[in-house]
Amino acid sequence: MYKNGKTIEGVDILVVGAGSAGCVAALAAASAKYRVLLVERYGFLGGSSTQMLDTFYGFFTPSETPKKIVGGWPDEVVNTLNDHGEVFLRPNTYGAGTGVNYNPERLKNVWDTLMLNAGVDFLLHTTLIDVNPLPGGRYECIFWNKSGFWKIIPQRIIDASGDADFCHLAGFDYEVAGEQEPAQSMTTTFRMANVDLDAFEKTGGKKALAQIMAATAHPLPRKEGSAHAMNMPKCISTVAVKVGGMNALNVQDLTKAEVEGRRQAFVFEAFFQKEVPGYADAKIIGLSTQIGVRETRRVYGEHRLTKEECMAAQIPSDSILLCGPPIEDHRDGKNGESETHWQYIPQGGIYGVPYGCIVPKASDMVWVVGRCFSATHDAHASCRSMAQTMAMGQAAGLAALQSLDRDSSASQLEVSRLRENLLQQGAILETPDKPAFTGKDEWKLNFA
């Protein structure tokens, strides 16, 4: 039926999925020479950055002397938010490093503006439903939206779908989370308004909250989690809900997970209102657009990032980005309880991610970025922060341009030239000499 759909002609680079990785891939690839089309199934851009989160992690290492290790287009995103007065830096309670807090509603508008200014075409409410390999190595991509079925036969493709939907439909090999190690749990984030943050801080703040959680008789689903101030006055955002033991690629499981995540959110609301100082009159004002999924499919690439490589804290010559966040593995404990396992990167906390991690094995015209990139479970738990996924997108966008310009396949690309192009866009590929500024209002000082 859909084989008779309309055709969108002249697409040089197709980006599937407009999360932070896909958005930056499209921005990096934007040029007057080639047409870039970004396709997103929701009604707004940003993926996790706008659907459920309000903090970018991974820009700064979590060491005692933090370094800023991501730059280029990701900086432009934060700078634009900062120009609107909607950014502050905040320390992470559990040690993932300084986070860049932002207003996710403003970020939706910022992603729109950046795309329009860069000349990127994008379609919202549009879902990839099938892929047909064609002679000569190209792919016919089938999409559906309210206008019907559409066919696109691009010259290059960047899979930023999160679940590796394009790679799955095109027949690339991948590992499904949970097949070897338990898959990371899912999280419904929620936001509360009318919080008396002064009263909360005066009675001990986050440290007191952890103690109250540990001692409460309230039937909490788990007795840990974070609640942090947002850009909006008297509002907080949480990462407290945990839904484990379900497969986000199974629609029945995903449905149950959504329901369970919402149930847990209101259990936490009652706890905050009754037991946490400053929250007596607070209420939930928003739940994440969907439950947050940490891992599903991880594509097998030309290179597969491993825990051993992360822990070696080295920067290979074919690195396309730097990573410093620790392994942060949200999982069920031995007795079924929820827990988070942390393991920090030694020797300054920085390693390089090779180019092959974003190239599906033997790929001629496809790159994969975001949480479906090529990595083992443990390495993925370190390198899935949004600053790193944006950096992956930047590398993939430039790689697609280079591939078109030089008529080279993705797997045979000249990485040294790609690194030069990344540096020209402001990427950071070597350990900085100077420590970063990480005070609440010090973002701009990192560019002085």
Side-chain angles (χ1 to χ4, degrees), residues 20 49 53-62 69-70 74 78 88-102 206 226-229 237 239 322-326 328 330 342 382-391 443:
S20 53
S49 73
L53 299 178
D54 71 340
T55 304
F56 292 128
Y57 283 110
F59 276 97
F60 303 99
T61 63
I69 57 172
V70 171
V78 178
F88 68 83
L89 304 185
R90 68 179 183 88
N92 180 267
T93 306
Y94 296 99
T98 298
V100 181
N101 186 274
Y102 56 84
K206 293 180 179 180
S226 66
H228 60 264
S237 182
V239 180
L322 301 182
C323 187
E328 181 184 347
H330 296 258
W342 297 83
S382 167
C383 198
R384 61 181 174 80
S385 294
M386 283 194 290
Q388 276 64 48
T389 62
M390 286 193 283
W443 169 259

Side-chain angles (χ1 to χ4, degrees), residues 123-301:
L123 288 175
L124 303 176
H125 298 293
T126 301
T127 302
L128 177 70
I129 61 170
D130 203 0
V131 173
N132 300 310
L134 300 176
R138 295 177 73 176
Y139 297 90
E140 178 187 64
C141 302
I142 310 297
F143 293 88
W144 181 87
N145 57 33
K146 289 293 185 179
S147 297
F149 295 101
W150 297 85
K151 295 186 289 187
I152 304 172
I153 304 176
Q155 294 194 63
R156 300 292 186 270
I157 299 166
I158 299 173
D159 186 344
S161 63
D163 294 324
D165 289 331
F166 170 85
C167 288
H168 165 67
L169 293 169
F172 287 97
D173 290 335
Y174 54 83
E175 176 187 349
V176 175
E179 287 181 339
Q180 297 183 29
E181 302 91 352
Q184 292 205 59
S185 58
M186 294 179 270
T187 296
T188 299
T189 59
F190 62 90
R191 299 161 190 166
M192 299 183 74
N194 203 31
V195 180
D196 187 339
L197 289 168
D198 289 337
F200 175 68
E201 293 298 333
K202 287 177 182 178
T203 52
K206 293 180 179 180
K207 184 176 291 186
L209 175 60
Q211 295 171 346
I212 296 169
M213 277 188 170
T216 184
H218 197 87
L220 291 181
R222 59 189 289 252
K223 293 192 175 184
E224 60 178 19
S226 66
H228 60 264
M230 299 182 68
N231 269 266
M232 288 70 78
K234 296 187 177 182
C235 292
I236 63 95
S237 182
T238 69
V239 180
V241 167
K242 267 192 179 179
V243 180
M246 295 190 190
N247 178 5
L249 297 175
N250 179 292
V251 69
Q252 284 82 15
D253 274 7
L254 192 56
T255 298
K256 292 176 183 176
E258 293 281 13
V259 173
E260 173 61 15
R262 289 189 284 270
R263 184 195 70 81
Q264 288 188 26
F266 285 96
V267 172
F268 275 105
E269 180 193 57
F271 159 75
F272 275 99
Q273 291 169 339
K274 293 177 181 178
E275 300 192 30
V276 181
Y279 282 80
D281 297 319
K283 284 185 175 292
I284 287 178
I285 57 167
L287 301 170
S288 52
T289 304
Q290 71 153 71
I291 195 166
V293 178
R294 292 185 170 91
E295 58 175 348
T296 50
R297 301 184 183 104
R298 298 192 302 275
V299 173
Y300 287 116

Side-chain angles (χ1 to χ4, degrees), residues 305-358:
L305 187 68
T306 66
K307 175 183 178 181
E308 290 72 25
E309 289 176 305
C310 301
M311 291 297 127
Q314 295 179 354
I315 303 175
S317 61
D318 60 346
S319 297
I320 53 167
L321 65 120
L322 301 182
C323 187
I327 293 173
E328 181 184 347
D329 188 355
H330 296 258
R331 62 192 187 190
D332 290 337
K334 293 180 180 179
N335 299 316
E337 73 280 10
S338 294
E339 63 178 30
T340 303
H341 172 75
W342 297 83
Q343 190 168 353
Y344 290 85
I345 313 303
Q347 303 173 30
I350 299 173
Y351 62 89
V353 179
Y355 169 70
C357 294
I358 65 168

Side-chain angles (χ1 to χ4, degrees), residues 24 56 59 70-79 387 390-391 394 443:
V24 172
F56 292 128
F59 276 97
V70 171
W73 268 110
D75 280 348
E76 185 65 24
V77 175
V78 178
N79 287 338
M390 286 193 283
Q394 183 168 236
W443 169 259

